[in-house]
């Protein structure tokens, strides 16, 4: 197979089973591999039954927040008074995260099938799949698959020959990270500027076009056909540590490891083992210094924490961080944490939608302070100032982009204070950077 | 919301009851607490972006924004708790880091919500040190009367929301992201919407400025007097801002039943003539072909002599910009004549509505008291009245500018009494000229197109011996032993209310500053 790596023995290959298998991309290839049976099965059930199975499975959102998918679906009005919508969040722009891209590249029909099942379960007539603008190849593949699905009657006015109507559209983003935030994504689909909206009202009551809407991540939805096929109990049994974290999770590993890439493991898999065994460890002669387990938006773990971290929702919280999107960024002892944190902050400063004062001004100010420290002009009081600004940026804004900028700063200062101080007291050579955000 | 059930909550220790659905920021006003805010404005859809109104709600772990949180039964809201204050102090500090701090040259200084809240609860010193460059964008002319000073913008989006949801002409937006963001305007458009000037008032800081008012006066030098716009028959409530007897600006005064928080650009510009220098400053009486200045007593005696000494037909040519009181009293002066009472008004073909507010438009009738004049028996048959002048024993002109009426036409009438603010050429044919105050110089009322009677208040002193028309006509009536005199506009109004059934039961006290719809009139204002 052409895929970057053969599955490691310790991987639990569910979503990634056909990664690298070009034939699985086609409708025929997908059906040959058992595709669309789950959809057929689901369409023969009552929508509430489908939701019940997903609830049983313990599947939780893979987009970042980890909210139980079945519970989210059950928030949709039972009695349908207005059109319902499903949004599939394929905006995947979180630094260090590239799993949804592979799902779309290799198993587009799997995603379509998952969307169709969820759409049926929440009684939506339309699904919008919102694809990150830079994902030109995944978009092309999704377009091909969607056309095929319509051609073969999977979708359309008589989906799978059941007389039920299921429509699905691809919507291409225009390159803003914030459009991955669920309400911003909806604004963007509506043709407005992709700004997050204040909640309440929540999407289940007032979502895209003001209609009841459910939004899920690509990986969440792609897991659904497997759950329908093999049962909620099977999925729930996939759990190595905490019973509330079930199933498999794709981790996108990048940074200082020998074999970066996507790895699918059962929930609760030890982080240390993922880095050392599956990814081949940090480069020779180097030691692990830190990692960020959940995309760039979560607190940084130091070496000890990383080595004892179990990769599931609870395991990450136990170490003071979050599972997030499953983008695992690894730093070895050559990494300059001050610089790395500045780069992350700069990303958030660039992507802030500018609505909330704390986020608009705070992210940019944070970057300026970090750049000044790197340039050797920092002062001792700057670290307390950074912590105080981060406090002001946490828990006070419309969405959590602001908090996401603060998380690596706060944890970075806490865990790598020495590196900051080295720049400030002149024991480390200054590293001036361009001031632009 | 009136028939909504009430919920009880406690705000800063004060218990209040409000209809269900009321926002905490509004409920707080009932408790006497103004929660600091920027993006929130009662006349605009809620945005919840500035995060200034963060308050602590007991039992809710995170601070909540008061502008988007509904009051609930048993809620306990702490506005001044340390946690809430710190959060707002944080917002203020963030707002200032890119702000140019150019208050000394900013028109908004003194009425700036950024200044006010920083003074109230901000830090005394910035921590944005030592030498970071501030965001810079050059001043931009948005067209119409509006200048945009982006460096002072706090991106509250009030202006954007006004244009999008109230004017329904969405030509402003937030452009760019992060701290590079600024307010953008459609590249091919200007802020020339007839109601666009409201964005200047809505802007809580000095970012949107009126070109007309630019550098004219400092906010703290201004006196504000409640008035009614004279631009059309809508009757938008306004404040006249004066500095030492000069009107320098007209701005809307909130009245939910008439104009909410807004007024049109045409109305805003109706003030320069209030400062005219070419006013009549003394009563004048004809001596041969000359008008000579005399005392008020002399003038009243002469005018009374004219009224007493003739009989038959008479005419009143009145301006629909005159107060209801003056319109009423003018007819009383000529009560025993066979009277023709007429006015004329400029009418344009199109109204200019503010779409987002029901029943609010720049009306095609471009005078404030057409309804008052009509209710009091004046007709719009001005030309007919002018043609009949030659057979009239007495003509009383009440501030009509006499355009198109020649001195000869007037001379064809018997005797002419002219009450006016200025002296047009034709008025030189008058036998008596009585100088009156303009709308900024007197108290009075107008009746708007929805039959809402609204008071306006004296904002400055009139020139020389000019006096309010209600006073002048009251003295004349007293001289004629027909009524009056009046010590105040309220007294004149009271007499009218007693004599004119349509105004029965009303008084200045009842009218207050918001006005009232005439008892038998149809309901006026928003939602009608
Ligand atoms: C700034 C920001 C960016 C986000 N970007 C993404 C994204 O690219 N993809 C995604 O699935 N969720 C993203 N999320 C999370 C979504 O808001 C939402 O929680 C998620 O799509 C829900 O799906 P799930 O329940 O299946 O995880 C983002 C959230 C924030 C605050
Ligand atoms: S927190 Fe930042 S990104 Fe999120 S809505 Fe507010 S300004 Fe926009
Ligand atoms: S120009 Fe004024 S009203 Fe508009 S966003 Fe800026 S501060 Fe707010
Ligand atoms: S006033 Fe409430 S967020 Fe701006």
């Amino acid at each position: 197979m052409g895929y970057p790596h053969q599955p490691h023995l310790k991987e639990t290959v569910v979503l990634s089973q056909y990664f690298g298998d070009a034939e699985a991309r086609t409708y025929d290839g997908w059906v040959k591999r058992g595709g669309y049976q789950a959809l057929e099965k689901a369409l023969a059930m009552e929508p509430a039954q489908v939701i019940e199975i997903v609830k049983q499975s313990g599947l939780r959102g893979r987009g970042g927040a980890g909210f139980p998918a079945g519970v989210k679906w059950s928030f949709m009005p039972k009695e349908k008074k207005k059109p319902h919508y499903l949004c599939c969040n394929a905006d995947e722009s979180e630094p260090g995260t590239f799993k949804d891209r592979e799902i779309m590249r290799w198993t587009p029909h799997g995603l379509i099938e998952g969307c169709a099942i969820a759409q049926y379960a929440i009684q939506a007539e339309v699904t919008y799949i919102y694809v990150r603008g830079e994902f030109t190849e995944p978009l092309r593949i999704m377009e091909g698959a969607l056309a095929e699905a319509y051609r073969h009657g999977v979708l359309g006015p008589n989906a799978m020959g059941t007389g039920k109507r299921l429509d699905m559209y691809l919507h291409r983003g225009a390159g803003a990270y914030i459009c991955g935030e669920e309400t911003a994504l909806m604004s963007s689909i509506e043709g407005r500027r992709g700004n997050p909206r204040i909640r309440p009202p929540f999407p289940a009551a007032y979502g895209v076009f003001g209609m009841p809407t459910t939004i899920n991540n690509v990986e969440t939805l792609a897991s659904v056909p497997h759950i329908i096929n093999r049962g909620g109990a099977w999925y729930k049994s996939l759990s190595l540590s905490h019973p509330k974290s079930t199933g498999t999770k794709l981790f996108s590993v990048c940074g200082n490891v020998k074999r970066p890439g996507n790895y699918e493991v059962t929930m609760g898999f030890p982080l240390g083992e993922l880095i050392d065994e599956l990814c081949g460890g940090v480069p020779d002669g180097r030691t692990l210094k830190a990692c960020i387990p959940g995309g760039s938006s979560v607190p940084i773990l130091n070496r000890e924490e990383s080595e004892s971290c179990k990769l599931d929702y609870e395991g990450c919280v136990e170490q003071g961080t979050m599972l997030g999107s499953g983008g695992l960024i690894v730093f070895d002892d050559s990494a300059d944490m001050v610089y790395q944190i500045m780069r992350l902050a700069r990303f958030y400063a660039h992507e802030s939608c500018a609505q909330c004062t704390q986020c608009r001004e705070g992210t940019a100010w944070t970057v300026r302070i970090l750049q000044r420290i790197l340039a050797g002009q920092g002062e001792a009081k700057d670290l307390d100032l950074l912590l105080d600004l981060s406090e002001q940026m946490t828990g006070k804004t419309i969405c959590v982009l602001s908090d996401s900028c603060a998380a690596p700063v706060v944890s970075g200062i806490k865990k790598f204070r020495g590196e900051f101080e080295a720049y400030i007291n002149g024991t480390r050579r200054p590293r001036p950077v361009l001031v632009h955000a | 919301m009136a028939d909504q059930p009430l919920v009880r909550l406690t705000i800063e220790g004060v218990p209040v009851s409000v209809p269900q659905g009321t926002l905490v920021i509004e409920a707080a006003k009932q408790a006497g607490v103004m929660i600091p805010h920027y993006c929130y404005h009662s006349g605009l859809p809620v945005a919840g972006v500035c995060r200034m109104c963060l308050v602590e709600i007991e039992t809710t772990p995170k601070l909540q924004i008061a502008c988007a949180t509904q009051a609930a039964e048993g809620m306990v809201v702490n506005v001044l708790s340390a946690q809430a204050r710190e959060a707002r102090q944080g917002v203020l500090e963030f707002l200032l880091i890119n702000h140019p701090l150019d208050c000394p040259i900013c028109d908004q200084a003194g009425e700036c919500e950024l200044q006010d809240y920083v003074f109230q609860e901000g830090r005394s010193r910035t921590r944005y040190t030592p030498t970071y460059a501030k965001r810079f964008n050059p001043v931009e002319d948005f067209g119409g009367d509006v200048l945009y000073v982006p460096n002072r913008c706090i991106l509250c989006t009030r202006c954007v929301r006004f244009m999008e949801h109230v004017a329904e002409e969405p030509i402003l937006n937030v452009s760019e992201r992060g701290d590079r963001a600024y307010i953008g305007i459609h590249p091919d458009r200007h802020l020339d919407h007839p109601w666009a000037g409201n964005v200047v008032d809505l802007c809580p800081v000095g970012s949107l400025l009126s070109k007309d008012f630019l550098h004219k006066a400092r906010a703290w030098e201004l006196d504000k007097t409640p008035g009614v716009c004279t631009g059309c028959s809508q009757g938008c409530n306004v404040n006249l801002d004066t500095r030492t007897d000069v009107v320098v600006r007209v701005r809307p005064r909130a009245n939910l039943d008439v104009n909410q928080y807004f007024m049109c650009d045409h109305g805003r510009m109706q003030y320069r003539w209030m400062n005219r220098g070419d006013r009549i400053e003394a009563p004048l009486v004809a001596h041969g072909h000359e008008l000579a200045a005399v005392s008020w007593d002399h003038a009243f005696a002469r005018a009374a002599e004219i009224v007493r000494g003739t009989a038959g037909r008479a005419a009143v040519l009145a301006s629909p910009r005159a107060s209801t009181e003056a319109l009423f009293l003018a007819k009383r002066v000529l009560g025993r004549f066979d009277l023709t009472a007429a006015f004329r008004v400029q009418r344009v073909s199109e109204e200019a509505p503010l779409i987002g507010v029901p029943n609010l438009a720049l009306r095609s009738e471009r005078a404030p008291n057409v309804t008052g004049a009509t209710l009091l028996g004046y007709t719009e048959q001005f030309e007919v009245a002018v043609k009949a002048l030659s057979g009239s024993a007495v003509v009383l002109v009440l501030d009509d500018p006499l355009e198109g009426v020649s001195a000869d036409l007037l001379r064809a009438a018997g005797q002419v009494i002219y009450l006016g603010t200025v002296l047009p050429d034709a008025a030189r044919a008058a036998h008596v000229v009585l100088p009156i105050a303009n709308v900024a110089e007197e108290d009075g009322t107008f009746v708007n197109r929805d039959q809402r009677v609204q008071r306006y208040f004296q904002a400055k002193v009139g020139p020389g011996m000019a006096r309010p028309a209600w006073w002048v006509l009251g003295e004349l009536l007293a001289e004629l032993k027909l009524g009056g005199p009046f010590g105040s506009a309220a007294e004149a109004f009271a007499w009218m209310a007693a004599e004119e059934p349509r105004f029965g039961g009303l008084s200045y006290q009842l009218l207050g500053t918001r006005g009232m719809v005439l008892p038998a009139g149809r309901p006026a204002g928003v939602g009608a």
Side-chain angles (χ1 to χ4, degrees), chain A residues 177-178 181 183-184 194-197 199 348 351-361 363 393 396-403, chain B residues 48-49 51 178:
Chain A
Y177 167 65
I178 195 60
E181 194 282 337
T183 54
N195 279 354
R197 307 174 183 169
R199 276 147 290 201
Y348 292 107
E351 297 296 330
S352 162
C353 84
Q355 288 191 100
C356 310
T357 307
Q358 294 95 330
C359 176
R360 178 182 68 239
E361 307 292 343
T363 51
M393 289 162 63
K396 298 182 179 61
T397 49
I398 298 177
C399 84
V400 294
L401 186 144
S402 182
D403 309 52
Chain B
V49 295
R51 318 307 287 180

Side-chain angles (χ1 to χ4, degrees), chain A residues 291-303:
Chain A
C291 73
I292 314 183
S296 58
S297 302
V298 305
I300 304 173
L301 298 179
N302 63 23
R303 178 178 179 161

Side-chain angles (χ1 to χ4, degrees), chain A residues 8 15 21-22 59 88 90 116 160 167 190 241 267 281 295 297 307 310 316 349 382 398 410 437:
Chain A
H8 190 276
L15 293 166
D21 175 359
L59 172 65
C88 169
M160 304 293 283
D167 279 313
E190 291 168 8
S241 175
M267 280 289 184
S297 302
E307 281 169 351
K310 299 255 169 52
C316 286
D382 284 345
I398 298 177
V410 173

